[in-house]
Amino acid sequence: MDGRTPYSQLSEKELDDILCTEQAKLDKWSEKNLTLDLTRGKPNQAQLDLSSKMLSIISDRGDCFSESGLDCRNYGILDGLPETKRLFSELLGLPQESILVLGNSSLNVMYDTLVRCMLFGVYGGYEPWSRQGRIKFICPSPGYDRHFTICRTLGIEMIPVKLNSDGPDMDEVYNIACSDPSVKGIWCVPKFSNPEGITYSDEIVEQIAAMKPAAPDFRVFWDNAYAVHELYDEEVHLANIFDYAKENGTEDHIFYFASTSKITFPGSGLAIMAASEKNLEQILPIIATQTIGYDKINQMRHVKFFKDANGVREHMRRQAAILRPKFELVERVFRDKLEGYDIAHWSNPRGGYFISLYVEPGCAKRVYQLARSAGVTLTPAGSTYPYGRDPQDSNLRIAPTFPELEELKPATEILCTCIKLATAEKMLKEKRKH
Ligand SMILES: Cc1ncc(COP(=O)(O)O)c(C=O)c1O
């Protein structure tokens, strides 16, 4: 921005002045005893209200019969109602027969899937992963902290690889996956990734599908959590990984996940998994041991509410109208307060739930602490990396969806003050060392 000098070109005196000014601002904010939260990647009340009709859409026994005549109030059907599968099939471009409609959280489905691999192995008669010694997963980073927590909990070693603006660094992924049979999988959030908001290019999707990993029992955990979560009218294209997998004969490598948590009600939505026929053949009997089936009344509720994929898309346009101003506000405040100083950069996502913010290396933890002292809670620095270790201590995940605009503005302004303060502190320290 014109008239602004990068901090790296400032004198000790100028940095000292910034320190004093920004500290004074922060002290003023602190006196207000604010409690502002930028951690929660969850829908706000206005978004939830868009789905309120679902609460009464099933009100009678007559609403409970599936098109096959099945009474959804009773036992029966493990893999999902045909009409619910059809809805997801149309929405996500997946063959209906590849879809399982499961519980209320895709995180739960991913956890169960990994545990199943650990206990029973994958299709093909391979040893369970837990009997193969130390196993490893490739973790494009920054990424979704809960993927990393699952690996950590199950004792799976995580190998971070760089996430570029078009997907994971595939040279790194190939080097690791194709040389080491103890590498059993990769986490992918292919569209509006958490927290970067990037979408994999067709080339990257193809390369992932075409990969011939050293482990014959390798699996791609394709977490398409934000498949229909555009913030703007133009649809952001993501290639269908199963199309490329079919061309390469690798359909069995793919485990696909999605949910309606950020479409209808988190915790009261539907999670799905899609996989090849052979994978499903192995998985379904194990699920049958685990449960009598999932909530079919909720599956009916979703079908009656949306009717078809266009119903979901229309609903998501209404959600976007609520979310867009929040993302734009954060980006505007960042531009106004930070641009031109060369002390931070951030993503401008076209969808999803997060803005990824990068501060000067070595400053993210300090920014987190300063913000907390002024009443703004951020997701802890480091959480977006395996083991909570950001090698640069630079990335922060901002979740603008839940707070109202009136809270979001001061929270973002406070954050900018903290960034200036932490950067000035760091640069002064470096200057005084010399
Ligand atoms: C990438 C990603 N996957 C999965 C989830 C969780 O989804 P669910 O609510 O279906 O468990 C989230 C939620 O933040 C997410 O960001």
Side-chain angles (χ1 to χ4, degrees):
M1 197 170 262
D2 286 350
R4 291 187 171 177
T5 313
Y7 276 24
S8 56
Q9 295 173 20
L10 297 179
S11 66
E12 200 171 320
K13 162 85 177 64
E14 286 167 322
L15 285 169
D16 224 6
D17 288 348
I18 289 172
L19 201 69
C20 294
T21 318
E22 299 304 325
Q23 184 64 62
K25 279 191 207 162
L26 201 63
D27 292 344
K28 270 223 173 99
W29 285 116
S30 300
E31 282 163 17
K32 295 186 195 247
N33 289 325
L34 299 168
T35 45
L36 303 169
D37 194 331
L38 294 178
T39 64
R40 291 174 293 182
K42 56 187 208 179
N44 58 69
Q45 216 165 60
Q47 287 174 271
L48 300 177
D49 288 346
L50 293 175
S51 305
S52 286
K53 271 211 179 116
M54 276 182 70
L55 297 172
S56 54
I57 209 155
I58 290 187
S59 58
D60 212 304
R61 76 182 287 283
D63 297 324
C64 294
F65 287 85
S66 153
E67 62 188 25
S68 61
L70 180 100
D71 186 341
C72 294
R73 298 170 303 175
N74 214 332
Y75 285 119
I77 295 232
L78 185 63
D79 55 342
L81 297 175
E83 53 265 63
T84 318
K85 288 190 186 189
R86 196 185 316 126
L87 176 69
F88 282 108
S89 161
E90 209 193 315
L91 189 65
L92 302 170
L94 301 169
Q96 202 171 312
E97 59 279 9
S98 72
I99 296 176
L100 305 179
V101 188
L102 302 167
N104 65 342
S105 149
S106 62
L107 183 72
N108 176 221
V109 176
M110 291 183 274
Y111 178 86
D112 276 356
T113 302
L114 245 173
V115 169
R116 214 166 32 235
C117 295
M118 295 296 276
L119 284 178
F120 302 101
V122 301
Y123 158 79
Y126 301 101
E127 277 285 294
W129 289 359
S130 59
R131 289 212 216 116
Q132 296 193 36
R134 192 158 182 77
I135 65 152
K136 301 169 192 157
F137 249 63
I138 299 174
C139 300
S141 306
Y144 176 39
D145 52 347
R146 286 176 178 249
H147 287 161
F148 306 152
T149 308
I150 295 179
C151 280
R152 205 166 180 174
T153 306
L154 298 178
I156 298 170
E157 185 180 327
M158 291 176 272
I159 310 176
V161 306
K162 193 168 182 302
L163 185 70
N164 295 319
S165 60
D166 59 351
D169 181 322
M170 288 308 293
D171 287 341
E172 268 191 84
V173 171
Y174 269 62
N175 278 341
I176 298 163
C178 301
S179 65
D180 181 354
S182 72
V183 176
K184 297 295 181 196
I186 179 170
W187 288 112
C188 295
V189 183
K191 185 163 173 181
F192 305 137
S193 71
N194 172 355
E196 296 291 280
I198 64 113
T199 298
Y200 291 14
S201 68
D202 288 5
E203 292 71 26
I204 299 276
V205 176
E206 186 174 13
Q207 283 173 25
I208 291 172
M211 192 158 65
K212 300 279 152 61
D217 50 352
F218 185 94
R219 289 294 180 271
V220 175
F221 279 60
W222 195 252
D223 177 6
N224 204 3
Y226 300 104
V228 288
H229 299 62
E230 268 80 359
L231 286 171
Y232 295 88
D233 280 345
E234 337 78 89
E235 191 185 323
V236 173
H237 164 80
L238 170 70
N240 188 331
I241 189 157
F242 281 114
D243 290 345
Y244 286 125
K246 204 176 271 174
E247 280 171 23
N248 287 279
T250 56
E251 293 116 298
D252 298 338
H253 289 185
I254 318 295
F255 286 155
Y256 184 120
F257 308 93
S259 82
T260 65
S261 284
K262 284 154 185 167
I263 297 176
T264 57
F265 300 131
S268 301
L270 302 174
I272 67 130
M273 176 172 183
S276 71
E277 197 182 334
K278 287 173 185 158
N279 277 324
L280 294 185
E281 242 170 54
Q282 188 234 1
I283 290 169
L284 270 168
I286 302 173
I287 296 185
T289 318
Q290 189 180 8
T291 175
I292 52 90
Y294 296 91
D295 184 344
K296 297 185 293 294
I297 294 179
N298 203 25
Q299 294 182 28
M300 275 304 260
R301 205 177 272 134
H302 280 71
V303 172
K304 281 185 187 293
F305 182 62
F306 288 121
K307 298 190 174 58
D308 55 25
N310 276 336
V312 180
R313 291 193 191 101
E314 185 49 42
H315 178 81
M316 293 312 283
R317 276 193 278 278
R318 286 196 278 272
Q319 298 236 10
I322 297 169
L323 291 178
R324 213 163 37 236
K326 299 187 176 195
F327 280 76
E328 289 178 350
L329 179 129
V330 172
E331 288 162 16
R332 194 163 56 246
V333 174
F334 281 168
R335 269 198 315 274
D336 288 351
K337 304 278 178 197
L338 301 173
E339 218 167 56
Y341 296 123
D342 242 2
I343 56 176
H345 60 95
W346 51 91
S347 60
N348 296 286
R350 307 296 292 171
Y353 262 60
F354 303 101
I355 293 175
S356 190
L357 171 70
Y358 288 86
V359 295
E360 276 288 297
C363 288
K365 283 206 180 90
R366 180 64 179 145
V367 170
Y368 170 83
Q369 275 172 357
L370 287 168
R372 205 172 167 82
S373 73
V376 178
T377 313
L378 300 170
T379 304
S383 327
T384 51
Y385 287 81
Y387 307 105
R389 275 187 234 129
D390 172 358
Q392 297 279 328
D393 184 27
S394 168
N395 182 244
L396 289 162
R397 187 183 83 168
I398 311 299
T401 59
F402 189 71
E404 296 306 324
L405 287 168
E406 308 77 64
E407 298 167 313
L408 200 53
K409 187 159 185 283
T412 313
E413 287 173 353
I414 292 170
L415 175 59
C416 292
T417 295
C418 297
I419 294 169
K420 289 178 175 176
L421 192 50
T423 317
E425 278 177 0
K426 175 194 160 180
M427 291 188 172
L428 271 171
K429 210 187 265 175
E430 278 168 4
K431 274 192 191 296
R432 286 172 182 158
K433 242 197 258 164
H434 295 124

